Amino acid sequence: MRPFAYLDERSVAEAAAAVHAAPGAMFLAGGTTLVDLMRQGVLAPDTLVDVHRLPLGDIELDDRRARIGACVRNAQLAEHPELRARWPVVGEALLSSMSPQLRNMSTVAGNILQRTRCSYYRDGHSPCNKRVPGSGCAAIGGHDRDHALLGTSPRCIAVFPSDLATALAILDAIVYTRRGDGGARRLPFDGFHLAPGDTPERETILDHGELVTHLELPALAIARRSHYFKVCDRSSYAFALASAAVALDVERGIIRDARIALGGVATRPWRCPDAEQALRGQPAALASFRAAADVALAGAVAGRHNGFKIDLARHVLVRALTELAARPR
């Protein structure tokens, strides 16, 4: 048992300042990722700052946007009737991603900030540049069946796990934060997560002590016609081998606009702008979807055991688009 201090702050400013002041401190909300990693000896914070009682648990909607508090439970978000009508991809992603028990406990901010499920990262002793920068990456040249094909680097090929984040990648989401020094930031979701590059230990652009306070979803017309499809090793409550979040605007059989993001195959939520462009002006038909899938996976680099995920991701994307196109307007 490693001792740690526990702080139960009652304001956003106090919580952010407390973590900012202690290099070994971390925020605790639902704890469904952090507590597991502490038990496994992967993370060893000396201070936990509990934020789950802060006033960050509300969902507010109007004609322009949805404002989702960082401490909203994933179950609350998945089951919200108006959100499911206006942003169906969000609820579909959440309902496909975890058991009801975990949805009831885990938070929205914790979901998009969850750490990789890479077994080498989580075993606590294998070389891992995320856990111990500069130690190496045991997955490269190791058993890489579940690892990433897109956005990888010579230092890390760990796949990003969040289904919700893949859905948010096509919705022009905004992340709002409070910094430990009292400042605040408004961060576009596109660019919020970092590919490993030279610093795989840094997974987002957040600074130490920077607390996510809420997310914002703009009221996009295309978001009403959105869909999430996922393939995993088990029929439910497993992480994606490949998934796709898609949205389409189709007029008289022709695609006017498209949104595509892939999950389960990349080191961060993987938006596919080239594939989206390939669909614009094309018929909403199987041939168009297959061509776009080829574009989306053109840069994939397979390892020793995960090459099957390239074809799998193509099929997943084509099916997601086909299912969505078949839905009535």
Side-chain angles (χ1 to χ4, degrees):
M1 179 67 183
R2 296 182 179 180
F4 58 86
Y6 173 83
L7 302 178
D8 186 13
E9 304 291 1
R10 296 308 173 96
S11 77
V12 169
E14 290 173 347
V19 173
H20 179 73
M26 292 184 176
F27 296 112
L28 174 70
T32 56
T33 293
L34 177 56
V35 172
D36 283 347
L37 293 175
M38 291 174 65
R39 286 171 175 163
Q40 293 165 335
V42 177
L43 297 177
D46 58 30
T47 304
L48 292 181
V49 178
D50 195 332
V51 299
H52 87 276
R53 279 189 279 268
L54 296 181
L56 302 174
D58 294 329
I59 299 174
E60 302 173 7
L61 294 103
D62 58 32
D63 292 339
R64 297 179 296 106
R65 53 92 172 113
R67 181 183 171 102
I68 303 163
C71 291
V72 167
R73 303 294 176 172
N74 285 299
Q76 182 184 356
L77 185 63
E79 296 162 8
H80 195 288
E82 189 171 352
L83 273 164
R84 294 184 70 169
R86 295 169 63 180
W87 296 274
V89 68
V90 171
E92 291 176 5
L94 286 169
L95 291 173
S96 74
S97 65
M98 62 187 88
S99 68
Q101 294 91 336
L102 284 175
R103 283 198 298 273
N104 285 333
M105 187 66 182
S106 57
T107 63
V108 169
N111 192 323
I112 66 171
L113 294 172
Q114 66 183 289
R115 307 302 295 269
T116 181
R117 259 59 187 179
C118 172
S119 58
Y120 295 108
Y121 169 75
R122 288 178 170 252
D123 69 17
H125 62 266
S126 295
C128 175
N129 287 319
K130 280 188 179 295
R131 184 167 22 84
V132 183
S135 63
C137 176
I140 298 176
H143 186 69
D144 59 9
R145 176 184 181 271
D146 297 330
H147 286 72
L149 308 158
L150 297 164
T152 59
S153 83
R155 291 176 171 82
C156 182
I157 59 171
V159 76
F160 182 77
S162 171
D163 293 289
L164 174 61
T166 303
L168 294 177
I170 67 169
L171 298 177
D172 295 347
I174 302 294
V175 180
Y176 288 83
T177 71
R178 179 66 176 260
R179 298 166 67 100
D181 60 6
R185 289 205 285 176
R186 179 183 184 274
L187 305 170
F189 199 77
D190 184 16
F192 179 76
H193 294 91
L194 300 174
D198 293 331
T199 56
E201 72 277 9
R202 191 174 186 202
E203 298 182 338
T204 72
I205 60 175
L206 295 178
D207 295 325
H208 180 69
E210 189 167 8
L211 176 65
V212 174
T213 58
H214 61 281
L215 307 179
E216 185 174 283
L217 302 181
L220 303 174
I222 194 173
R224 289 182 175 270
R225 192 177 174 89
S226 59
H227 179 43
Y228 191 80
F229 180 71
K230 168 182 174 179
V231 170
C232 46
D233 283 325
R234 300 195 306 271
S235 61
S236 61
Y237 312 143
F239 292 95
L241 288 173
S243 65
V246 297
L248 289 174
D249 178 7
V250 180
E251 184 68 32
R252 297 182 181 179
I254 301 299
I255 300 169
R256 299 196 304 181
D257 196 11
R259 301 285 181 98
I260 296 171
L262 296 176
V265 293
T267 57
R268 57 180 173 80
W270 197 259
R271 183 78 180 268
C272 304
D274 291 341
E276 294 170 358
Q277 183 57 40
L279 284 175
R280 295 184 183 109
Q282 300 300 311
L286 184 59
S288 303
F289 302 152
R290 286 175 172 166
D294 288 340
V295 173
L297 275 299
V301 178
R304 296 172 62 192
H305 308 104
N306 63 355
F308 74 97
K309 293 175 74 171
I310 297 177
D311 282 338
L312 179 63
R314 287 195 186 102
H315 289 302
V316 164
L317 178 53
V318 169
R319 178 161 171 176
L321 291 166
T322 302
E323 289 181 353
L324 182 59
R327 290 180 179 178
R329 287 179 60 83

